[in-house]
Structure formats: structure tokens, C-alpha cells
Amino acid sequence: EHIPTLSASQLLEKMLEAPSRRKRGVEDEDSVKCSYTFLVPEKKITGPICASSMAPGDDKDRVTRLDIADVRDVLSRQRREIEMLQLMVDVDGGLVNEVKLLRKESRNMNSRVTQLYTQLLHEIIRKRDNSLDQARLENRILNATAEMLRLAARYKELEMRFSALAAVVNNQSVLIHELEEQCLRTYGRHEPPAGPPLVQVVPENLPVNTFTNEIQRDHNRGFARGSRMDSIPTSSPLGPFRDCYQALQAGHSTSGMYLLKADGSERPTQAWCEHGLDNGGWTVIQRRRDGSVNFFRNWEGYKVGFGNIDNEYWLGLENIYNLARQGDYRLMVELEDWVGKKVYAEYSSFRLESESEFYRLRLGTYQGNAGNSLISHNGKPFTTLDRDKDAFSGNCAHFHKGGWWYNACGQTNLNGVWYSGGVYRSRFQDGIFWADYGGGFYSLKAVRMMIRPID
């Protein structure tokens, strides 16, 4: 049996026609005119559509299988279109994502390009600055070269002036001799006093064979250099101590300037403490090294001391006397020649007598490798140009240009003139000599006299 099939719209129309027909029949019968309007929401059909065979209607209003097939074709076509649209949406979404990625990469590339451009600007600026620095450095080098040439010319000029002054100083002995003869002639004496006997001890092998009579001086000796003997600074060195040995026992093992105040002395004084030689504790009482200090002084100068503590100086006879009478002391004399060799002479005891005895020298037994040249001065008083206490008829300080414990005049002269180069030429033996090491006409390069308590 053929079952009619209706679409949703046709089924709705038939459902609405039946009441209207019944109402019109009633209206005809009762002569009452009424109309009804039904608004039925269209529902989405999700299940099968059934049509009753009992419902009246023409065959033209029946839904056939063909109609259902057509609806299915339409639905299939619409489904394919939806799938196609979904594919297009997916493709378009992929394109959109790619476009987003490309935009992000473009932004990153723009940032990188900006960074590279900034670095390029910095590199250009740096190279420009380097060029400017190089130009300034070249200008400085040119200025320094010009200054060096100017200083070289100035140095040559000063060297010539110094040579002239040295020549004048070298002739001082001749001038003094002429003045002495003139004075003697003026005062009616016809025979000038002869010079002291020359040192006869001349070693076979001299330390150097360079002959010179140049007197080396410090060009800047007019300026303060180190700590002077005649002034105690407010920020003084370590101390005061009785001597350098006490400073060493107090834990100060570094060589340098210390403040000393011996028992019985009125005021402290500065001295150089040598802690790097023979277990340390040595008080340096005299030092020569470059000729920067003039040792041709009068009695008062040798009594109180003079020179620069960190260079050349004489500690002072009164200070040495006060130090040595605190106990039993020994003396070390260190000599250095012009080839760098050092020798020494050590005496087992050392002391001075008071000023009333003209600081007479007292020495013990000798040991060392320099020779016992100081033994001829043992027991002799100190002599200066203005206080002659030596055994010679003249003044040994005058001939030897210094102050010392002269005999007549002696085998050592450690406070004489500092000559450069070793062997020197002079009318008298006025250099810094030690007879048993180099002879009387060999001026030593460096000398140190040091005392220390006997262990």
C-alpha cells in the first residue's frame, strides 16, 4: 500500500486546513463569522516523517519517495558544501597563521636590523674616537720628543758647566797651596810646611785601573733630600729607642730611619738602622755613597752631626759617644770599590772618650778581609780644620779635607773627598781611602761605619 509522504511545510498546511474547514462549516450553519490564526513555530525535523493514510487530501499533496530522495540529495549537496566550506576555512586559517608568523618574523627582522644599525653607528663613533686618540697620542709623542731634545741640549750645557766647575774644584789644592805660601811670605816665614807623609802601602792589584780626578757631586744638593740631621720632624720615624738593637728586639726588623735617644743624651736624634746584615741591629754612624754631602766641616759640625739620613751623613761625635757608653759595642766598617766588591773590617770593641778628651778613639781586636788600616788611629783624638789634635806638625784635616782620628796623618781617611772612578790625582791623599785596600790614591765608592752591642 502506498503511504503518502509529506514535507514538513505540507504537513503543517494540512494540519491548519482541517480546523479552518470545520469552522467555516459551523459558520455556515450558525451564520456566525469567526476566524482563527495559529502561529506554530517551525521545528527542526530530526526524526522520520510519517503521514497518516486516514487524513483527507488529494494525491497531489502526498509526499513520495522521490520527494524524500530529492530532500536527501539536497541535504547531501548541502553537507558537501559545508565540508567544502570547512576545508576552505581550514585553508584560510592556515594562511592566516602563516601570515601572522610572517608578520612576527618581519618584526623580529626589523628589530635585528635596528640593532645592527645601532652597532654600526657605535663602531663608526668608536673608530672616530680612536682616530682622535691616535692623533692626540702622536701629538704628545712629538711634544715629548721635542722636550727630550731640549732637555738633552740642556743636559749637555749643564755637563759642560759641571766640567768647568769640576776643573775649578780640582785645582783647589794648588790654589790653597799658593795662598799658604803667600800668607807665609806675608808673615815673614820662608819655609812652607811640608805635606803629610804619603801612605806607602799600595796593593799590587788595584780594584780598577781607571785614572780620574773628577769630584762627583749631587746636582740637586741644594734641595732637601731625605731627613736632615739638624731637624727632627713632627711625624718622626719609629722610636725612640736606646739603639737599633733595641728596635730590633722590639720587633722592628725593617731597615730604615729610626728615632734614637741614648742614655744621658739631651734630645733624640735620627739614625739609619741596618737589619739586613749579620742578624741586624746595627746603628749606622757614618755613610758615604755619592758625594752629595760635603764632609769638610768644622768641629761643631762633626760634634752635632750633618747630612741626610737616607743618603750620606755623619751621626755626630756626641751622639756616637752617648750610644757607645751604654754598654759594650763592636764596630763594623764596610767598604765597596768601583767594581762592586765589598770587604769589611770588624773590631771587637768600640767606644769614644768624652769631648774633654776630644772624643779619643778606643778599638778592640781586628778581624775581616779589608786589612787593619784603622789600627794606627787607635787611641788618637779627633781633628778638624779648626781644632788640630793630630800628631803631625801641620793640620791633617787641612791636607785630607775632612775630620778624622788622625795620627800623622794615618792609614785611613773615610771622611775625605768623594772621587768618582777609583784612582784619582791630587797633590795630597785627600780621597776616601783605606790603605790596606787600594792604597792612598784609590778613592772608595761607598763606606759604612756601624756599631752594635756585643752579643
Side-chain angles (χ1 to χ4, degrees):
E1 184 181 355
H2 177 72
I3 300 175
T5 58
L6 299 175
S7 62
S9 58
Q10 293 175 347
L11 181 61
L12 181 61
E13 289 177 358
K14 289 188 176 293
M15 290 175 65
L16 294 175
E17 286 178 357
S20 61
R21 290 177 180 175
R22 287 194 299 269
K23 292 291 182 182
R24 285 196 300 269
V26 174
E27 290 176 357
D28 293 338
E29 294 176 358
D30 298 336
S31 302
V32 178
K33 293 180 180 180
C34 295
S35 63
Y36 298 91
T37 302
F38 295 93
L39 297 177
V40 178
E42 184 175 358
K43 289 181 153 182
K44 183 177 180 181
I45 301 174
T46 59
I49 300 174
C50 297
S52 174
S53 60
M54 301 300 295
D58 297 334
D59 292 337
K60 64 179 183 178
D61 296 329
R62 294 180 180 178
V63 178
T64 63
R65 296 176 186 263
L66 294 176
D67 294 332
I68 294 174
D70 293 336
V71 171
R72 288 178 178 173
D73 292 338
V74 171
L75 292 175
S76 298
R77 188 169 58 254
Q78 291 178 351
R79 187 180 295 109
R80 287 193 299 271
E81 291 177 355
I82 290 171
E83 291 176 354
M84 184 63 67
L85 290 174
Q86 185 67 37
L87 290 175
M88 293 177 65
V89 168
D90 293 339
V91 172
D92 292 341
L95 293 175
V96 170
N97 291 331
E98 291 181 1
V99 170
K100 289 181 179 180
L101 292 175
L102 290 175
R103 288 180 178 177
K104 185 175 181 180
E105 291 180 359
S106 177
R107 288 194 295 270
N108 293 336
M109 291 182 66
N110 290 334
S111 300
R112 181 59 179 168
V113 169
T114 303
Q115 182 180 2
L116 293 175
Y117 181 72
T118 304
Q119 292 179 356
L120 179 61
L121 289 178
H122 290 168
E123 187 68 19
I124 293 173
I125 294 172
R126 187 181 65 81
K127 289 185 177 180
R128 185 189 63 183
D129 294 339
N130 290 339
S131 300
L132 294 175
D133 293 339
Q134 184 177 2
R136 284 195 292 266
L137 182 60
E138 290 176 354
N139 291 332
R140 290 177 61 185
I141 291 174
L142 292 176
N143 294 335
T145 303
E147 183 68 16
M148 182 180 65
L149 294 175
R150 187 184 68 82
L151 291 176
R154 179 62 177 167
Y155 175 77
K156 289 182 179 179
E157 179 184 354
L158 292 176
E159 191 175 31
M160 294 176 63
R161 292 177 60 187
F162 177 75
S163 299
L165 291 175
V168 173
V169 174
N170 291 334
N171 295 328
Q172 63 178 335
S173 298
V174 177
L175 295 176
I176 292 174
H177 177 66
E178 292 177 356
L179 290 174
E180 286 178 349
E181 291 181 349
Q182 184 178 355
C183 290
L184 292 174
R185 286 193 299 268
T186 302
Y187 288 99
R189 296 178 59 183
H190 301 285
E191 293 295 332
L198 299 180
V199 174
Q200 299 301 319
V201 180
V202 178
E204 295 180 359
N205 297 321
L206 296 177
V208 294
N209 56 5
T210 302
F211 289 85
T212 177
N213 63 344
E214 178 185 359
I215 299 178
Q216 193 77 13
R217 298 294 185 189
D218 185 3
H219 299 294
N220 299 322
R221 67 181 183 181
F223 299 93
R225 184 177 179 184
S227 300
R228 298 185 60 83
M229 294 290 299
D230 54 359
S231 63
I232 301 297
T234 55
S235 57
S236 59
L238 297 174
F241 302 99
R242 294 176 64 247
D243 55 17
C244 292
Y245 186 71
Q246 187 185 48
L248 179 64
Q249 290 180 324
H252 303 287
S253 58
T254 302
S255 299
M257 289 183 290
Y258 288 79
L259 196 61
L260 306 181
K261 189 177 185 303
D263 297 339
S265 60
E266 296 180 356
R267 64 187 184 93
T269 184
Q270 293 183 80
W272 186 273
C273 292
E274 178 58 52
H275 296 311
L277 177 67
D278 191 20
N279 299 323
W282 293 96
T283 303
V284 179
I285 62 175
Q286 186 258 21
R287 179 164 56 187
R288 308 296 301 276
R289 62 193 302 179
D290 58 6
S292 59
V293 175
N294 180 18
F295 274 66
F296 197 16
R297 304 292 182 105
N298 58 14
W299 180 267
E300 187 62 25
Y302 272 98
K303 175 183 176 182
V304 299
F306 54 85
N308 301 318
I309 300 300
D310 59 346
N311 196 44
E312 290 195 342
Y313 76 96
W314 173 262
L315 187 60
L317 291 167
E318 187 67 21
N319 294 325
I320 299 172
Y321 164 71
N322 288 325
L323 283 171
R325 70 173 182 166
Q326 295 181 118
D328 296 330
Y329 282 77
R330 56 189 172 121
L331 173 67
M332 170 83 73
V333 180
E334 183 184 69
L335 312 174
E336 181 181 356
D337 60 28
W338 286 91
V339 295
K341 181 181 178 181
K342 293 183 179 181
V343 294
Y344 76 98
E346 185 175 353
Y347 295 88
S348 60
S349 64
F350 168 83
R351 69 181 178 87
L352 299 181
E353 296 185 4
S354 64
E355 185 179 9
S356 62
E357 294 294 327
F358 306 104
Y359 300 109
R360 195 178 300 272
L361 177 65
R362 300 297 182 184
L363 296 174
T365 57
Y366 159 83
Q367 66 172 358
N369 58 357
N372 191 11
S373 295
L374 194 58
I375 192 62
S376 63
H377 301 265
N378 189 20
K380 301 301 182 286
F382 202 84
T383 293
T384 60
L385 185 63
D386 58 340
R387 195 165 298 190
D388 185 5
K389 300 298 176 183
D390 55 52
F392 182 60
S393 58
N395 189 334
C396 293
H398 162 72
F399 295 104
H400 289 291
K401 306 298 184 296
W404 195 247
W405 296 279
Y406 292 115
N407 188 349
C409 285
Q411 302 294 304
T412 63
N413 187 39
L414 301 187
N415 289 337
V417 180
W418 191 89
Y419 288 102
S420 175
V423 177
Y424 64 97
R425 294 187 298 270
S426 179
R427 182 177 179 182
F428 306 108
Q429 293 174 329
D430 54 2
I432 304 173
F433 68 84
W434 187 273
D436 288 310
Y437 188 74
F441 282 103
Y442 183 87
S443 185
L444 295 165
K445 180 181 180 180
V447 174
R448 286 195 303 178
M449 298 177 65
M450 301 169 284
I451 62 173
R452 171 184 166 168
I454 298 174
D455 299 334

